[in-house]
Amino acid sequence: MTALATPLADAFWATSLRRWNAVCWVLFAAMAVGLVTTVPASGSKYEALALLSLVVFCYAVLDRFPGNPVVRPRVYLSALVLALGGLAYLGSSYAALFMVTLPHYWMFGRTPRVSMGFLGLATGATLAGSLIRQGWTAEFFGETMVSTLIVVAVGVLIGLWAHSVVAQSSERARLIEELERTQAQLSEAHQRQGAADERERIARDIHDTLAQGFASIIVLAEAAQAGLHHDPATSAQQLRSIESTARENLAEARELVGSARQPGPGQVAGGSVARTLRRTLDRFAEDTGLAVDADLADLECDQQTRIALLRCTQESLANVRKHARASMVGVVLARRPHGVELEITDDGTGFLVGESTGFGLDGMRKRLAELGGRLTVTSSVGDGTRILALLPLAGVPTAGIPTAGVPMAGEVEA
C-alpha cells in the first residue's frame, strides 16, 4: 500500500495491505452510492456526503502523495474521527465507515500507543454523536453502544496481533540480515586467516630450504675463492658442492611451486626417511668438514612427517654451521612407543634459549605442533645444544607423547 507510514519487512503483509487499499476504494464508492440513493434529499444528506468526501479526499492525498507536508497520517486520522462523530450524529453510514476504516488506525498510527489513542477518540466521537441523536435510550445502550464496543474490541485485538506479527517479521528480517553480515565477515576473516597461514607456511619452507641452501652456497663460494690458488683440489670440491647445492635448491623450488600436488598426509612417502636424512648429513659433513655421528633407524612415515623431520634437521644443521662453532654433531632418529624422536646435538658454544628470537626455532615448533608434535631445545653458553623433536606416527594418538618434567635451566619446550 503506497500510503503506509511504516515500511513492513514481510512481503505478505505488504501485499495484504495493498489489497485492502483497493477494497477501501470500493467500499467508499458503495457508501457514497448508498447515501445518494437511499437518504432523502435534505441538509443532513449533503452534510453526510461532505464528511465522507473529506475522509476520501484526505485518504486519496495520503495514498497518492505519502510525503506531502499537509495531509499527514495524523491529519487523516483526525479527519476520520471528526467524520465518524458527524455521521453518527446524522445517523448516516457511520457504522459502515467505522468498520471500513478500522485497520487505518493501525496502518497510519505508527505505534500501538498512537493507534489506540486515535481509535479511542473515534469510539468516543461515534458514541457522543449517537448519544446526542438518540439520547439516553434503550436503543443507544442496547444497540449502538454494545455493537460499537464489540467492533472496537475486535479491532483492538486484531490490530495488536497484526502489529505483533509485523514487529516479529521486522525483527526476523533484521536478525537474518545481521546473520548474513556476520557470516560474510566470518568468511572474509577465514579467507584472510587462510591466506596468512599459507604465507607463513611458504615463508617457513623458503627459510628451511632455499634460504639455507643459498647461505651454504655463499659460504662454499667464499671458501673456494680463498683456496683457489694454494689448494685447488679443495676449491674444486667446494665448487662441485656449490653446483650440487644449487641443483638441490632448484629441485626444492620446483617442489614448493608444486606443493599443492604433494601426497596427502596419509600417504607413505617414496624412500626411507633415514636415507633422506643420511644424504643431508653427508652433504653437511662434506661442506663443513665437521664430524657427524648418526644413528638413524629405518622408518617409514607419511609425507608430512618426513618433511617435518627433514626440515628440523636442515634448520638445526644450518644453526650449527652459522652459530655453534662446533667440532662434532650427533643425530639420532629412533622409533618409540609414543611415536618418533629426532635428537640433534652439537658440542658448540651454545646459547641462551630464552633470548633466542630467530625465525628457525619458531618455525620448527609450529611445524611440529601442526602434526601434534613438540620441540624441546636445551642449551647454555659453552655447553653445546640439544634439539629434540617428538612426533606421533600414524595410528598413535597425540596424547601418547609423554609429558616431560619441569624444564631445567636452559631448556624450553614447545
Side-chain angles (χ1 to χ4, degrees), residues 2-3 53 68 81 107 134 181 234-235 247 294-295 374 401:
T2 58
S53 298
N68 76 88
V81 170
M107 292 158 55
Q134 296 174 329
R181 185 169 58 252
T234 302
S235 296
R247 292 183 183 277
D295 181 10
R374 187 175 69 247
I401 296 181

Side-chain angles (χ1 to χ4, degrees), residues 1-8 62 66 72-73 106-110:
M1 182 174 182
T2 58
L4 280 179
T6 305
L8 302 179
L62 194 58
R72 305 303 299 158
W106 302 98
M107 292 158 55
F108 297 106
R110 295 181 183 271

Side-chain angles (χ1 to χ4, degrees), residues 55 74-75 105 135 163 166 189 208 216 266 284-285 320 326 350 355 377 384 409:
V55 172
R74 295 194 180 188
V75 173
Y105 299 100
H163 178 81
V166 171
D208 293 346
S216 177
F284 174 79
V320 171
E355 298 180 2
V377 181

